[in-house]
Amino acid sequence: MFGIKKFLFRSDVPAHLPEDVRAGLEAWRELAAPSLDGPHFHTRYVVVDVATSGTDPETDQLLGIATSSVHQSAILPGDALYIDFAEGGEEGGAVERQLLAFLQHAAKAPLVTYHVPFVGGFIQRACKERLGVDFQPQWIDLAWLLPSLFPAKNSKVMPLDHWLEAFGLDVGSGRRNAMENSLLLSRLFQMLLVRASSKEIETAAKLIGESRASSFLRRIN
């Protein structure tokens, strides 16, 4: 288990980081990964969205991270986080402390988002450049899972708003922020968990496997 943990969350903590950030990273690295073999009801899922300056994770900037949590079939209002990297500026390790706060909040739980290459790409780059952490959590990608589990609504990868409308969720008007998106994704994820359980995808481990399989099969076909 220790070897797996080191592989998933490899870290070479930069020496220039403030001492409190270095200590926080070391404590985070030693956190035990949660079991993924229990029923969904017992698993804390962290739903993530990001605010960015553009669409390219390799060149554009990560402006913010928003999370909400789904646990015991409920969205937990008190277990949410929003980070605005404009707050605190660049001085004194402010950005590094904000990224550390995200890692501590996620606590190695499985992460849920819409389009992992986009969301995960921005977060992974920021963690690598700022903290020296190769952030590779267990991702669940709704962009691939929703058409796989709800083919009657659409069997293709679609924009997020298609699925919000298909499930009768209010998409409002105008551009949503990352926090609003994370909450809407959490509501979609609640419905997906019900469908997954009915198809005997009863654990986080199976759901992660289904997400990877759906992504792989659709990308090669």
Side-chain angles (χ1 to χ4, degrees):
M1 176 59 72
F2 181 74
I4 293 175
K5 180 173 66 176
K6 292 280 283 186
F7 173 76
L8 292 176
F9 300 97
R10 294 187 297 274
S11 176
D12 181 14
V13 178
H16 70 270
L17 289 176
E19 185 59 34
D20 62 312
V21 176
R22 290 172 57 83
L25 278 176
E26 292 299 336
W28 171 78
R29 290 181 65 198
E30 296 305 317
L31 285 175
S35 171
L36 302 179
D37 295 324
H40 296 301
F41 188 80
H42 293 160
T43 302
R44 173 180 176 257
Y45 294 94
V46 177
V47 183
V48 185
D49 195 37
V50 293
T52 68
S53 65
T55 59
D56 188 342
E58 295 186 4
T59 59
D60 293 315
Q61 296 303 306
L62 178 63
L63 304 179
I65 303 175
T67 77
S68 52
S69 298
V70 175
H71 187 213
Q72 296 183 346
S73 303
I75 300 172
L76 306 180
D79 192 19
L81 177 72
Y82 183 72
I83 292 172
D84 181 352
F85 290 108
E87 295 182 0
E90 290 281 339
E91 299 300 322
V95 171
E96 288 77 8
R97 288 188 177 92
Q98 288 172 310
L99 281 171
L100 174 61
F102 164 72
L103 295 179
Q104 292 171 328
H105 177 77
K108 300 186 179 176
L111 303 187
V112 181
T113 195
Y114 203 87
H115 286 308
V116 167
F118 176 81
V119 174
F122 274 100
I123 295 175
Q124 185 179 42
R125 176 183 158 211
C127 286
K128 186 66 174 178
E129 292 179 353
R130 293 286 188 164
L131 301 176
V133 172
D134 187 9
F135 186 58
Q136 298 186 45
Q138 301 281 11
W139 283 107
I140 295 167
D141 197 334
L142 298 182
W144 302 99
L145 273 178
L146 285 166
S148 176
L149 295 182
F150 295 95
K153 293 186 180 293
N154 205 303
S155 61
K156 300 179 181 179
V157 175
M158 300 293 291
L160 173 59
D161 281 359
H162 166 85
W163 293 104
L164 297 176
E165 293 171 2
F167 284 96
L169 298 177
D170 183 9
V171 299
S173 59
R175 186 175 179 84
R176 295 183 298 273
N177 61 40
M179 193 73 246
E180 291 170 329
N181 266 347
S182 75
L183 292 170
L184 287 167
L185 290 173
S186 293
R187 294 178 68 185
L188 282 177
F189 185 59
Q190 285 179 303
M191 291 181 257
L192 183 139
L193 285 178
V194 174
R195 175 60 64 91
S197 295
S198 73
K199 292 182 173 292
E200 299 185 350
I201 306 171
E202 303 118 330
T203 69
K206 290 183 178 180
L207 194 60
I208 291 165
E210 183 70 18
S211 177
R212 291 173 178 167
S214 297
S215 173
F216 176 76
L217 290 173
R218 290 174 182 272
R219 286 181 188 276
I220 64 174
N221 291 326

